[in-house]
Amino acid sequence: MAENAPEEPGSAAGRPQYHGAPANALPLTASEDRQWATLAHFGGILGCLPSLLIYLIFRDRGPFTAQESKEALNFTLPPTIAAVLANILVLLPVVGNVFAVIATAIWVALTCFSVSAGIRVNHGQPHRYKLNLRWIK
């Protein structure tokens, strides 16, 4: 900005007219907290990405969402990695069909467990997967 340029109306001296506000997000209400926790589990149908995004965005805004999205992320991460590897190995000429069946079985199992957990969490009950590595503390 030039030294002799006229100041924009509404701006303070030495400060640009438009400046960002601090990003202080409000805490989630009880129903929003339950809603995002439920979506973290239902997102398991698509793999670990939905629960990861919900965990990173909402973990500081709602305790139930933080707990349940972390649980969903820990549960969906290993099967997602296995499914991605199986889908890559589908390209192998002789055994590709076996890996296609494995990838499909992983997706079906992940879908069943995720929907079951999502329904329980939607009723306000915390859910713990029995077979969970819990890599993220």
Side-chain angles (χ1 to χ4, degrees):
M1 192 166 167
E3 298 275 33
N4 297 335
E7 245 182 72
E8 293 289 326
S11 69
R15 216 171 36 163
Q17 180 181 4
Y18 302 105
H19 60 282
N24 295 334
L26 295 173
L28 297 173
T29 64
S31 72
E32 289 173 337
D33 200 15
R34 191 176 73 238
Q35 174 189 11
W36 285 109
T38 301
L39 289 174
H41 284 287
F42 282 148
I45 296 169
L46 302 174
C48 66
L49 190 60
S51 56
L52 174 64
L53 291 174
I54 291 170
Y55 177 70
L56 292 175
I57 294 170
F58 294 105
R59 68 179 170 202
D60 296 330
R61 295 182 56 196
F64 193 55
T65 298
Q67 170 189 328
E68 294 303 317
S69 61
K70 183 169 39 173
E71 183 72 12
L73 177 60
N74 278 322
F75 178 73
T76 57
L77 187 60
T80 300
I81 293 170
V84 167
L85 289 175
N87 280 309
I88 291 170
L89 294 173
V90 163
L91 302 174
L92 294 175
V94 177
V95 291
N97 291 336
V98 173
F99 288 110
V101 170
I102 291 171
T104 304
I106 291 170
W107 179 76
V108 168
L110 197 56
T111 298
C112 291
F113 286 120
S114 295
V115 168
S116 173
I119 291 170
R120 183 176 173 150
V121 169
N122 192 37
H123 292 295
Q125 302 169 346
H127 182 75
R128 298 279 287 184
Y129 293 99
K130 290 183 174 140
L131 300 172
N132 200 347
L133 297 177
R134 294 184 180 83
W135 288 344
I136 299 164
K137 301 290 179 189

